[in-house]
Amino acid sequence: MTQVISVLGTKGGTSKTTTTIMLATALASKGKRVLVLDSDLQRDALEWAERAGKEIGFTAKATPTTQTLNTALARNSSADLDYIIVDTPPGSNSIINAAATSSDLALIPTGVSDGEIRQVQKLIDSLAGSGTPIAIVLSNVDKRVKDGRILHESLQAHERAAVADALIPMRNAIRKSYFKLPQITTKPFAECMELAEEIESALAQMK
Ligand SMILES: Nc1ncnc2c1ncn2[C@@H]1O[C@H](COP(=O)(O)OP(=O)(O)O)[C@@H](O)[C@H]1O
Ligand SMILES: [Mg+2]
């Protein structure tokens, strides 16, 4: 059975594309069959996969409209795939709702500032109707700042969304891997691998 993970956020620059690619690369490195659907008109995820080359271990397709996304999801869910990961544009348009509704898990990467957390809260509220399980992952977090850990702990008590144990730190190696092949099994990407493992076991329980 193919399981669908959508990566959502209402703002640009919240690490959606980075999370999509890290997750896809990590799962592929563990032998999983992964397809990335890029619903952002910017096509960063698609370009990233193309530029990184075959070694990245998964394929990516552009699905810039609700219709193309739904068609791709319907077509590929029966294919020999373990996971479909949908990267989405910022905003609050119908494509985000379509992605969330069709997903087994909606993943929301976010930074730790008050403004960012407020946006996440709004997004969670707007997704309430979809019934899709939601997980927040704190990303691009400056580890020198304590806020990340404190917030991580306080968010655990959130009613409607789970919080990933894995916290993705701000790292040059991650930033520099944009549009390149991430050396996913090396130390700077350890938390990305942890996130993939956590998501896999959460999804396995939902099957
Ligand atoms: N863990 C991280 N460490 C360092 N830089 C990061 C990390 N996550 C994201 N970034 C950087 O933040 C910027 C925005 O990330 P991106 O994934 O493109 O966000 P979005 O897709 O939500 O717009 C990019 O320059 C990216 O390299
Ligand atoms: Mg993006």
Side-chain angles (χ1 to χ4, degrees):
M1 193 180 77
T2 308
Q3 286 183 300
V4 181
I5 304 159
S6 54
V7 184
L8 310 177
T10 48
K11 290 203 314 172
T14 58
S15 308
K16 290 180 294 299
T17 300
T18 303
T19 303
T20 299
I21 297 295
M22 292 306 154
L23 206 49
T25 309
L27 291 167
S29 79
K30 284 147 57 79
K32 301 296 185 229
R33 296 156 304 178
V34 182
L35 170 67
V36 167
L37 297 178
D38 188 350
S39 285
D40 190 347
L41 284 171
Q42 303 268 356
R43 295 192 181 206
D44 279 2
L46 185 66
E47 187 159 347
W48 193 333
E50 281 172 359
R51 286 214 217 169
K54 251 193 177 162
E55 260 185 88
I56 204 156
F58 62 87
T59 44
K61 284 182 194 162
T63 50
T65 62
T66 307
Q67 200 186 342
T68 50
L69 173 62
N70 284 334
T71 306
L73 285 172
R75 232 183 241 153
N76 290 290
S77 296
S78 53
D80 292 331
L81 282 173
D82 296 302
Y83 300 104
I84 296 175
I85 307 177
V86 187
D87 190 17
T88 62
S92 53
N93 54 30
S94 60
I95 207 149
I96 295 180
N97 284 318
T101 307
S102 315
S103 303
D104 297 285
L105 179 70
L107 189 62
I108 306 177
T110 179
V112 297
S113 74
D114 290 347
E116 288 165 307
I117 295 301
R118 223 177 116 244
Q119 291 294 325
V120 169
Q121 186 59 59
K122 278 196 208 161
L123 178 58
I124 291 171
D125 293 344
S126 78
L127 294 175
S130 73
T132 304
I134 300 168
I136 299 168
V137 55
L138 297 183
S139 300
N140 204 1
V141 177
D142 187 343
K143 280 213 146 180
R144 291 167 302 184
V145 182
K146 260 192 186 159
D147 295 7
R149 280 283 154 214
I150 294 167
L151 181 72
H152 194 259
E153 279 154 28
S154 66
L155 272 175
Q156 297 291 352
H158 201 287
E159 289 167 15
R160 249 188 256 146
V163 182
D165 289 333
L167 184 154
I168 313 295
M170 180 188 287
R171 288 240 171 84
N172 276 336
I174 298 178
R175 186 175 49 79
K176 284 187 188 158
S177 69
Y178 215 88
F179 290 151
K180 298 199 182 83
L181 180 70
Q183 300 301 307
I184 199 77
T185 54
T186 63
K187 214 168 170 208
F189 299 91
E191 292 87 354
C192 300
M193 289 293 273
E194 279 170 28
L195 178 67
E197 274 154 33
E198 218 183 316
I199 287 176
E200 276 214 282
S201 69
L203 283 173
Q205 284 170 28
M206 289 179 205
K207 267 187 189 168

